[in-house]
Amino acid sequence: MRELRRGDAGPAVAEVRATLAGLGLLPSANGTPTAPTLDLAGGSTAPMLDPASRSSEAQFDLPLEQAVRAFQQQRGLITDGVVGAATYQALRDATYRLGGRPLAYLVSAPVSGDDVLTLQERLLELGYDAGRPNGVFGAQTEAALRNFQRDYGLTVDGMCGAETVRALRQLSPRARGGQPVLLREQERVRRAGPRLRGKRIVIDPGHGGDDTGVTVDGIRESDLMWDLARRLEGRMVATGMEALLSRGPDQCPTEAERAEFANEATGDVFLSLHCDKNSAPRAQGVATFYFGAGTSGTSTLGEALAGFIQRELTARTGMQNCRTHSKTWDSLRLTRCPAVRVEIGYLTNTEDRARLSDPAFRDLVAEGILVSVKRLYLLGEGDQPTGTFSFADVMRHELAKAE
């Protein structure tokens, strides 16, 4: 669908307005919420609008933009008040409730929605490893569901229908909370060991091909991030890691395709490299992002790695610290391994642009990211103060562990 923004009008705008009203973020024309409305892939059917309210419901006005922003903030999306593909998908997902439709693993078109998220959370609470709760019904969710069905004498078909939903509700644990995903992720890192040798890292240089990303004064984000990715790849290979690039110099996969590449490669870590832009020329600095969706789920190792990268890069480069943030972008949400996106400077800022154009600066960034990955696997043992761990130190640590 085309993007919807303030000033637009029509049935699609009315559909978005009614959905946000159903979610309690916007009053309907008569002042009361309506039911969720998006009629997509088995979702609810939009209510008919009466003639008196149709014209106001079809206008994308300031209150609707504010409601869209509130929804985007809740869902970990870019808070721009524009209904693009990601926001529309999230609106559709928000209309589903567990038990409202059968759920199954579809390889060609994975099912997503809040009902899938609820299923994943309940399986995790009951002790079944459904993976990171991201609202996407994948192979790991199906395996956990089959184990649950087998243990409780249900039909073992990997489908979440009425019988399975009843059992899940009856068996919901008395005590909730804890961090089962965190414990499993930490155990996987502990078992992987502190050495980098043998670890498989997927490096994702942003944009590519005809999509150059941010371009200012002839300096293109896609070119800078491709060069940075190759510098990082060289250092990682030197330590014994297997470094894989998600794209070639003339390719631009979608975010979902980049995540799928990481999953098929069984990557241990996914690193997405980007620059930023802003209409305010003074905006500058570095920020890192990891998967997180409010209280419903967070990639704990992704959050830890994002913190390491943020601290290392700000300490080494002196760039403005724009902190770490949780987001639900597909490149973070759909990867099974810890995933981090790094926004390294603003090309719209003169100082950041000059530094990013310097190959020596990109070497410094590559070293900081490599050291951050090493810190993730050290689990606090034999570590050094932020900004002091060099590439030579990493190599000495690797050789010492090999002896």
Side-chain angles (χ1 to χ4, degrees), residues 35-59:
T37 63
L38 291 184
D39 185 20
L40 293 171
S44 305
T45 302
M48 294 296 292
L49 300 175
D50 61 73
S53 64
R54 186 177 293 115
S55 59
S56 63
E57 292 285 295
Q59 297 296 319

Side-chain angles (χ1 to χ4, degrees), residues 7 14 61 73 76 90 98 111 115 129 142 157 163 184 207 220 231 252-253 271 282 364 376 388 403:
D61 53 13
Q73 186 176 40
L98 186 63
V111 177
D115 50 353
D129 187 5
E142 182 191 41
D157 56 8
E163 180 188 37
R184 289 190 178 99
H207 305 279
R220 309 193 305 180
R231 292 170 189 270
C252 185
L271 298 168
R282 289 191 176 184
L364 190 64
L376 179 70
T388 65
E403 293 173 356

Side-chain angles (χ1 to χ4, degrees), residues 375-392:
R375 289 188 186 281
L376 179 70
Y377 286 101
L378 283 174
L379 292 174
E381 298 180 7
D383 210 342
Q384 296 179 205
T386 299
T388 65
F389 210 158
S390 68
F391 178 64

Side-chain angles (χ1 to χ4, degrees), residues 304 306-316 321 324 372 386-387:
F308 288 138
I309 292 175
Q310 187 68 21
R311 290 191 293 274
E312 284 293 334
L313 293 188
T314 53
R316 291 167 185 269
N321 185 353
T324 63
S372 300
T386 299

Side-chain angles (χ1 to χ4, degrees), residues 16-171:
V16 170
R17 179 182 289 275
T19 300
L20 289 167
L23 296 171
L25 293 172
L26 192 71
S28 63
N30 60 10
T32 60
T34 61
T37 63
L38 291 184
D39 185 20
L40 293 171
S44 305
T45 302
M48 294 296 292
L49 300 175
D50 61 73
S53 64
R54 186 177 293 115
S55 59
S56 63
E57 292 285 295
Q59 297 296 319
F60 200 128
D61 53 13
L62 178 59
L64 179 56
E65 181 184 279
Q66 292 171 337
V68 170
R69 288 179 181 274
F71 176 79
Q72 290 170 326
Q73 186 176 40
Q74 289 178 1
R75 294 277 163 158
L77 302 168
I78 295 176
T79 311
D80 57 6
V82 176
V83 181
T87 298
Y88 200 70
Q89 174 69 45
L91 282 166
R92 185 189 73 173
D93 287 350
T95 65
Y96 295 116
R97 296 294 178 267
L98 186 63
R101 59 175 176 166
L103 300 173
Y105 176 39
L106 304 177
V107 178
S108 58
V111 177
S112 67
D114 281 15
D115 50 353
V116 179
L117 178 62
T118 301
L119 171 63
Q120 292 169 328
E121 289 175 337
R122 291 192 178 177
L123 288 170
L124 286 164
E125 288 170 346
L126 291 166
Y128 296 91
D129 187 5
R132 185 193 309 155
N134 60 4
V136 180
F137 198 116
Q140 194 167 357
T141 301
E142 182 191 41
L145 182 59
R146 284 180 178 274
N147 288 334
F148 168 77
Q149 291 171 329
R150 183 177 299 109
D151 289 345
Y152 288 92
L154 305 174
T155 302
V156 184
D157 56 8
M159 295 183 62
C160 186
E163 180 188 37
T164 300
V165 170
R166 281 195 299 272
L168 284 167
R169 287 173 176 163
Q170 291 168 357
L171 294 164

Side-chain angles (χ1 to χ4, degrees), residues 256-276:
E257 289 169 341
R258 295 168 194 256
E260 183 181 5
F261 174 82
N263 292 337
E264 290 181 350
T266 62
D268 295 301
V269 169
F270 177 86
L271 298 168
S272 190
L273 309 175
H274 289 260
C275 301
D276 213 336

